[in-house]
């Protein structure tokens, strides 16, 4: 059974996102190249765990993080599980593999002061790109959507009159997200500027480059990093940190965890609870300031 059949399976039957399917294909392709170069093996269905282990060692020696190595091995393990399911192999060579240890990443969200400075004090460029950049930042911060969801947002997903957008999340799950009033106004300004572009290639998509093409991952990252660097010295200034900031600020203001879960598009509360470590600090302040038993 080919890798192509496996990718079709995870895409059509498992309903995984195109981003996940692409990652699976890239990871399996990397291992195939390693086997060809190292062992002159073209068919990876018959490899042993020791050969996979040597790939893991080579990745670590190349300074690939344990987290990335674990993701690559998870892709490979899923492929062998598929082969086992369809009867192409009897034993999954990764059945007893234990993931490499990873340190828990403590992502520090931006403070309310930093976000206020960004949205009130920074001067965005004049014209189409400036309006687009401001809208991207405000939408990521006020809606908590993922970078991929921002990139894939289409015009048919906008309901500006109703004040909502529809996003397609992981595993192709749709969710409706409310918009703040100011974002709706900014959308209107942006769409007017968008219509004035000389040419539009990817007409279905909301966010475009000045050449009229659908925006891409590195463009979004560059925009976020550029403007956030003007108001913050934090090392990590990525679109995901804005999502993290969105969740943390909602929880700090007393938002219900289940509601935040739905807004973020998480499948379980466990995924949302990683954002609570910051809000606990706020809860401690309220507790100490308010409880009658606290000795001041």
């Amino acid at each position: 059974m080919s890798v192509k059949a496996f990718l079709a399976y995870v895409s059509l039957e498992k309903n995984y996102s195109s981003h996940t399917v692409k990652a699976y294909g890239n990871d399996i392709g990397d291992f195939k190249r390693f086997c060809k170069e190292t062992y002159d093996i073209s068919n990876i269905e018959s490899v042993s765990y020791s050969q996979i282990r040597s790939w893991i060692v080579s990745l670590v020696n190349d300074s690939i993080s344990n987290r990335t190595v674990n993701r690559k091995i998870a892709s490979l393990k899923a492929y062998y599980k598929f082969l086992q399911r369809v009867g192409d192999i009897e034993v999954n060579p990764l059945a007893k593999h234990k993931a490499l240890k990873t340190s828990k990443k403590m992502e520090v969200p931006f403070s309310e002061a930093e976000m206020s400075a960004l949205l009130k004090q920074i001067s965005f460029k004049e014209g189409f790109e400036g309006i687009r950049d401001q809208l991207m930042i405000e939408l990521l911060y006020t809606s908590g959507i993922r970078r991929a969801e921002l990139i894939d947002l289409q015009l048919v997903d906008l309901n500006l009159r109703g004040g909502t957008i529809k996003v397609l999340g992981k595993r192709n799950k749709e969710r409706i997200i409310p918009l703040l009033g100011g974002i709706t106004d900014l959308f209107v300004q942006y769409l007017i500027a968008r219509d004035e572009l000389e040419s539009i290639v990817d007409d279905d998509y909301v966010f475009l480059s000045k050449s009229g093409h659908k925006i891409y991952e590195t463009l979004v990252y560059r925009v976020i990093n550029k403007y956030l660097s003007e108001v913050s010295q934090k090392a990590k200034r990525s679109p995901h940190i804005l999502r993290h900031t969105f969740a943390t600020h909602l929880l700090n203001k007393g938002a219900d965890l289940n509601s935040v879960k739905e807004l973020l598009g998480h499948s379980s509360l466990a995924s949302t609870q990683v954002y609570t470590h910051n809000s606990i600090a706020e809860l401690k302040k309220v507790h100490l300031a308010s409880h009658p038993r606290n000795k001041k």
Side-chain angles (χ1 to χ4, degrees), residues 49-62:
Y49 178 67
S50 63
Q51 290 167 324
I52 298 174
R53 184 72 182 174
S54 67
W55 183 46
I56 296 173
V57 171
S58 74
L59 292 172
V60 173
N61 288 340
D62 286 341

Side-chain angles (χ1 to χ4, degrees), residues 10-283:
V10 295
S11 175
L12 301 175
E13 293 196 36
K14 300 291 284 184
N15 208 24
Y16 287 175
S17 70
S18 59
H19 179 76
T20 301
V21 174
K22 182 180 178 181
Y24 274 13
N26 289 340
D27 294 339
I28 296 169
D30 287 346
F31 180 61
K32 289 186 74 172
R33 283 187 288 276
F34 172 83
C35 288
K36 182 63 179 175
E37 294 169 2
T38 308
Y39 300 107
D40 196 26
I41 294 175
S42 299
N43 182 6
I44 63 171
E45 293 179 12
S46 58
V47 299
S48 64
Y49 178 67
S50 63
Q51 290 167 324
I52 298 174
R53 184 72 182 174
S54 67
W55 183 46
I56 296 173
V57 171
S58 74
L59 292 172
V60 173
N61 288 340
D62 286 341
S63 299
I64 305 298
S65 70
N66 284 6
R67 194 176 299 276
T68 300
V69 172
N70 286 341
R71 191 209 70 216
K72 289 179 176 293
I73 297 304
S75 298
L76 202 58
K77 188 173 183 179
Y79 176 56
Y80 286 124
K81 188 175 180 180
F82 169 74
L83 293 179
Q84 193 176 25
R85 179 180 178 181
V86 298
D88 283 5
I89 62 173
E90 292 185 5
V91 179
N92 185 337
L94 283 165
K96 295 184 179 180
H97 172 75
K98 292 184 178 180
L100 302 181
K101 290 184 178 180
T102 59
S103 57
K104 288 189 176 181
K105 292 192 297 183
M106 185 67 79
E107 295 183 326
V108 181
F110 295 103
S111 67
E112 291 185 40
E114 286 172 322
M115 291 309 302
S116 178
L118 173 64
L119 300 175
K120 292 181 179 179
Q121 298 174 21
I122 295 298
S123 295
F124 291 89
K125 291 192 297 185
E126 293 289 330
F128 168 76
E129 287 187 293
I131 297 172
R132 180 203 63 195
D133 294 352
Q134 183 180 358
L135 177 58
M136 286 198 304
I137 292 171
E138 293 214 28
L139 184 60
L140 286 168
Y141 172 52
T142 61
S143 70
I145 62 175
R146 301 176 177 92
R147 175 170 58 180
E149 294 168 347
L150 177 91
I151 292 170
D152 290 335
L153 192 66
Q154 297 192 17
L155 293 174
V156 294
D157 298 325
L158 302 182
N159 180 3
L160 298 184
R161 181 168 294 184
T164 63
I165 58 171
K166 179 176 68 178
V167 298
L168 191 64
K170 290 185 175 180
R171 302 193 181 183
N172 292 325
K173 290 183 179 178
E174 290 185 350
R175 68 186 189 281
I176 304 296
I177 298 177
L179 297 175
L180 299 181
I183 293 292
T184 303
D185 295 340
L186 199 53
F187 258 116
V188 173
Q189 293 178 44
Y190 167 74
L191 292 174
I192 291 172
R194 180 185 180 278
D195 287 341
E196 294 173 354
L197 289 173
E198 288 186 13
S199 66
I200 296 180
V201 180
D202 297 315
D203 189 50
D204 292 337
Y205 293 93
V206 173
F207 290 101
L208 304 177
S209 66
K210 63 181 179 181
S211 64
H213 290 85
K214 175 185 175 184
I215 58 170
Y216 45 94
E217 289 186 357
T218 51
L219 185 152
V220 179
Y221 178 82
R222 282 202 308 267
V223 168
I224 302 305
N225 186 64
K226 173 183 180 295
Y227 285 106
L228 284 173
S229 66
E230 296 184 35
V231 297
S232 175
Q233 297 300 312
K234 289 185 174 69
K236 193 164 184 180
R237 300 182 292 267
S238 67
H240 182 71
I241 295 298
L242 284 183
R243 178 172 161 87
H244 186 61
T245 302
F246 162 81
T248 302
H249 288 182
L250 283 183
L251 291 167
N252 284 350
K253 295 297 185 180
D256 174 66
L257 191 62
N258 268 306
S259 299
V260 176
K261 166 184 169 291
E262 294 301 318
L263 288 169
L264 292 172
H266 285 159
S267 57
S268 69
L269 270 179
S271 299
T272 314
Q273 284 172 333
V274 300
Y275 299 108
T276 61
H277 69 272
N278 293 291
S279 60
I280 286 173
E282 294 297 318
L283 288 174

